[in-house]
Amino acid sequence: MADRLRTALSPYLRLHADDPVDWWEWGEAALAEAARRDVPLFVSVGYAACHWCHVMQAESFTDPEVAALLNASWVCVKVDREERPDVDAVYLQATQALTGSGGWPMSVFATPDGRPFFTGTYFPPTRQGTTPSFAEVVTTLTAAWRDRRDEVVESGATIVAQLGRVTAVEVADEADRPLAADVVERLAASYDPIHGGFGVAPKFPPTTVLDALLVRGDTASMALATGTLDAMARGGIHDQVGGGFHRYAVDAGWVVPHFEKMLSDNALLLGTYTRAWRRVPAHEPQRRDRYADVVARLVGWLERELRLDGGAYAASLDADSHDLRGMPHEGIFYVWAPQLLVDALGDDDGQWACDVFHVTAGGTFDHGLSVLQLRGQPDPERLASVRDRLLTARGIRPRPARDDKVVAAWNGWLVDALGQAGQVFRRPAWVAAAGEVAAYLWDVHWVDGALRRVSLDGRPGAADAMADDHGAVALGLARLAGALGERVWLDRARTVLDAALDRFAAADGGFHDAPAGRLFARARDVADAATPSGTSALVAALRLVGLLSGEGSYGRRADAAARTTWPTLAANPRFAGWPLADLLVADEARAGLVPAEVVVVTDDPEGDLVAGAWRMAPDGSAIVVGPAGTPGFGHLFDGRTEPGAYVCRGTTCFEPAADVTALKAALWRRVR
């Protein structure tokens, strides 16, 4: 058996290097081998932080008898969904269409050229009720390929044809533009007034939807947003000791999380909580303090747990870790019992922590252990001291494994969020950290005129970047350009964006998610999921780069692409958060609040005018800070030789503001 995965770039693939299954990486070689042997493909898709992926590996992929069944009649392909989202996306669509649901591990059985004819997710090692064992599935499908191949091939062709019809993207005309008020009303109808969030369990952080609800700052939208942000900040999904957020909550009340921690989620939530802090009025100091604390501790967790040599950030932390006996358990690193708190803190603080974090003898998790939740309004100084001591005590536990690969999109979103948070909270070190991430992405991921999706240890992978990579990286570089007033970052943002316009353009004015390739379908989904879609990311980048560069074609391109998201926005707004934000900004523009170009001419990048611009500017604004004569930002610095903040809306420019009060008036002044 060949040992193909041991040198794979993906840490997830390397976890399977010792399996008795004869794994291949996805690519031409695997497809050619299936054609040569005239056998079908078994494609197993997962990722390093996935708990059930590890379970299925331990139960089935390390079983020599199961491996023998697979190796004899299949070419087995292991896919890291984070490295190859193009492969994951088309097979996930097939799995959802065939089974009504999807998830990981994803198990796909396909013809030698990759057309799926049977799909599923996790299969147990032994039959459970009506759910067959994995070995039963393999045995049955092996016989079907051997004895009824024509039927199997025809089934695969039919599935592919049906997928093409059900996944087709609609394009709306201007007359079909959704009404923002109707969309927000539909969101409100699905809001959980008891626990915050939308819908029922399981609950993922609705990050992109929250971003949209923060655009206007009206009372009704803010109630939905802050109710959800408060519930998540207090819940078990939020790591109350170490900072940052877990992947999702398995219950409606945000109590028990699925414990993996992803850079993607946390980079986006960093931006969301920063924007929420900007929107919360000063007469709500406790809420503002809570959000500021979430942001600061989230950045601390990122720097402590995910930052890599070279300045970029790792993809994730595993959900599982080992107990003191060396046995793996999901979430064991994060949970506590009353006695464990007393042991770490002493009697007084231990009992106080039990009350504050709702840790009981019965527990809220397995085996009498509890996930920490924050209750009441505890003394901030005492809370900070207790958290620090618990973090030290937790540090001696066996740690969850880390996936050290660098994903371009996720680091691009982090550049965007860190740059904004650093300016809003006057933390120049955060802006500098964003600059280090940006430098890594350019130096390592931009290879021979093209962006690469992932890297590891400073070595770029072979997989091409996706549309969301281009959008996120361009957005982050452009935001950094504005924060630093350095044209090099805007030039690079334009380079990445222009490459995307060539590579992903669709005939209807929108974007594909993946480059053209050998797959039976080209990945395309305009709906936002836990992260913004490729289209959403590119639209956001086009808007910002267009304002900073003065190049109007970017904005027109964004308008065309946005129309491909409107049908989804109208039908299911919970999965169109960034398109809703874009629509709301456009609605505000028609009411006179045209997206602003804000130029702060100053030699003091940490001054009050700079912080005021980043804190008060309406959503959709482009902010650039630099001394007089700063080059490379279109005409934004032309003729602006005196210090001050210059605000323009379209062709209307206001008098320069010399102080924060005047700046606020200019930022929110409407034009007709």
Side-chain angles (χ1 to χ4, degrees):
M1 185 180 72
D3 191 15
R4 301 180 191 89
L5 301 189
R6 198 166 302 281
T7 58
L9 182 135
S10 164
Y12 171 66
L13 296 191
R14 282 193 254 150
L15 288 173
H16 288 268
D18 292 323
D19 294 352
V21 177
D22 188 17
W23 292 115
W24 294 68
E25 290 192 61
W26 178 268
E28 293 293 338
L31 296 173
E33 177 67 6
R36 184 190 69 80
R37 289 178 55 195
D38 193 27
V39 297
L41 297 168
F42 167 61
V43 183
S44 175
V45 185
Y47 57 104
C50 168
H51 169 71
W52 286 101
C53 299
H54 300 320
V55 171
M56 192 165 177
Q57 179 189 22
E59 292 175 343
S60 296
F61 299 148
T62 58
D63 184 330
E65 294 183 3
V66 172
L69 287 173
L70 287 168
N71 295 340
S73 303
W74 302 79
V75 167
C76 302
V77 181
K78 176 56 71 173
V79 176
D80 181 343
R81 69 177 297 257
E82 297 167 353
E83 181 181 27
R84 296 302 305 259
D86 52 339
V87 178
D88 174 67
V90 295
Y91 284 134
L92 180 60
Q93 287 178 336
T95 302
Q96 290 171 330
L98 291 173
T99 69
S101 63
W104 301 274
M106 183 161 53
S107 303
V108 178
F109 300 85
T111 60
D113 61 354
R115 298 172 189 270
F117 57 83
F118 186 87
T119 63
T121 53
Y122 165 80
F123 289 102
T126 58
R127 174 174 283 271
Q128 295 180 2
T130 60
T131 303
S133 71
F134 182 63
E136 287 180 290
V137 172
V138 173
T139 301
T140 300
L141 294 177
T142 299
W145 181 260
R146 182 186 64 237
D147 301 331
R148 304 190 308 278
R149 180 180 303 193
D150 289 346
E151 295 177 27
V152 172
V153 172
E154 183 179 355
S155 174
T158 300
I159 290 168
V160 169
Q162 290 176 340
L163 281 174
R165 289 190 291 271
V166 301
T167 60
V169 172
E170 298 179 51
V171 181
D173 295 327
E174 188 66 28
D176 298 321
R177 172 192 290 269
L179 295 176
D182 291 346
V183 175
V184 174
E185 185 177 341
R186 292 191 62 190
L187 279 174
S190 65
Y191 180 72
D192 181 346
I194 298 175
H195 303 295
F198 302 89
V200 297
K203 279 185 176 174
F204 288 79
T207 314
T208 65
V209 169
L210 297 174
D211 289 338
L213 292 170
L214 293 168
V215 168
R216 284 181 172 165
D218 61 278
T219 301
S221 296
M222 286 297 292
L224 302 178
T226 58
T228 302
L229 290 165
D230 291 346
M232 292 195 304
R234 290 182 172 278
I237 193 173
H238 182 205
D239 182 354
Q240 301 293 342
V241 169
F245 291 82
H246 299 289
R247 187 75 177 96
Y248 63 87
V250 302
D251 60 288
W254 306 101
V255 176
V256 178
H258 190 49
F259 287 92
E260 61 202 68
K261 296 176 82 173
M262 314 292 293
L263 174 61
S264 53
D265 299 322
N266 284 281
L268 291 165
L269 283 166
L270 173 60
T272 301
Y273 274 95
T274 297
R275 287 185 283 276
W277 183 90
R278 294 172 65 238
R279 279 300 200 189
V280 172
H283 64 258
E284 297 182 22
Q286 288 183 335
R287 178 169 279 151
R288 284 171 64 89
D289 289 348
R290 182 182 307 129
Y291 294 172
D293 178 68
V294 168
V295 167
R297 294 193 313 108
L298 198 162
V299 174
W301 170 75
L302 286 167
E303 293 177 344
R304 187 176 62 251
E305 301 286 351
L306 292 191
R307 191 177 187 278
L308 302 166
D309 293 340
Y313 287 72
S316 63
L317 295 181
D318 206 336
D320 300 353
S321 56
H322 292 86
D323 63 17
L324 296 178
R325 297 171 298 171
M327 300 298 293
H329 296 278
E330 183 185 6
I332 193 69
F333 183 73
Y334 300 100
V335 293
W336 299 82
Q339 189 59 50
L340 292 173
L341 292 177
V342 170
D343 291 345
L345 301 169
D347 288 337
D348 289 344
D349 280 348
Q351 187 55 56
W352 184 84
C354 286
D355 294 338
V356 166
F357 293 128
H358 191 45
V359 176
T360 65
T364 56
F365 190 57
D366 296 338
H367 310 298
L369 297 168
S370 289
V371 179
L372 302 190
Q373 306 166 69
L374 187 62
R375 306 174 74 186
Q377 300 291 341
D379 176 73
E381 291 187 5
R382 189 175 188 183
L383 179 62
S385 172
V386 164
R387 279 172 162 163
D388 286 344
R389 289 148 64 196
L390 290 180
L391 185 63
T392 299
R394 195 175 77 177
I396 66 174
R397 298 177 179 180
R399 306 184 69 81
R402 187 174 75 178
D403 183 342
D404 281 352
K405 72 173 176 293
V406 174
V407 180
W410 303 358
N411 278 266
W413 285 318
L414 184 60
V415 174
D416 180 39
L418 268 178
Q420 291 186 70
Q423 295 291 65
V424 167
F425 291 102
R426 307 183 82 157
R427 300 289 290 267
W430 295 358
V431 181
E436 292 180 7
V437 182
Y440 178 95
L441 289 172
W442 185 259
D443 292 342
V444 176
H445 283 246
W446 187 256
V447 180
D448 298 329
L451 190 66
R452 300 289 177 86
R453 168 73 176 176
V454 298
S455 68
L456 185 72
D457 298 330
R459 175 169 61 98
D464 291 329
M466 303 292 109
D468 66 335
D469 294 303
H470 282 260
V473 171
L475 181 65
L477 297 184
R479 195 81 67 188
L480 185 67
L484 299 177
E486 296 179 1
R487 68 176 298 172
V488 62
W489 297 116
L490 183 59
D491 291 343
R492 289 172 177 177
R494 295 187 67 174
T495 298
V496 172
L497 197 52
D498 290 344
L501 298 181
D502 289 337
R503 181 165 295 211
F504 301 105
D508 57 18
F511 298 106
H512 296 282
D513 290 333
R518 271 287 308 275
L519 276 164
F520 65 88
R522 190 174 182 185
R524 188 180 187 192
D525 189 351
V526 297
D528 293 347
T531 59
S533 70
T535 299
S536 293
L538 285 171
V539 167
L542 286 162
R543 300 287 191 207
L544 181 59
V545 171
L547 287 173
L548 289 175
S549 67
E551 178 52 66
S553 63
Y554 289 129
R556 292 188 292 274
R557 189 67 182 82
D559 290 340
R563 283 193 287 272
T564 68
T565 70
W566 289 352
T568 299
L569 178 57
N572 201 340
R574 286 177 56 193
F575 297 96
W578 276 22
L580 176 57
D582 188 71
L583 183 72
L584 288 166
V585 170
D587 281 359
E588 291 289 273
R590 283 193 293 276
L593 202 66
V594 178
E597 298 160 343
V598 185
V599 181
V600 184
V601 177
T602 181
D603 292 321
D604 180 12
E606 299 177 30
D608 290 344
L609 275 179
V610 175
W614 287 91
R615 289 178 174 186
M616 297 187 300
D619 281 70
S621 302
I623 304 169
V624 58
V625 179
T630 296
F633 291 88
H635 300 291
L636 292 184
F637 283 87
D638 289 359
R640 291 167 174 173
T641 58
E642 297 300 318
Y646 298 77
V647 179
C648 291
R649 288 205 151 81
T651 58
T652 301
C653 294
F654 307 118
E655 290 295 318
D659 57 47
V660 172
T661 300
L663 173 58
K664 181 179 181 180
L667 287 172
W668 289 93
R669 188 177 304 163
R670 296 178 184 269
V671 296
R672 295 296 179 185

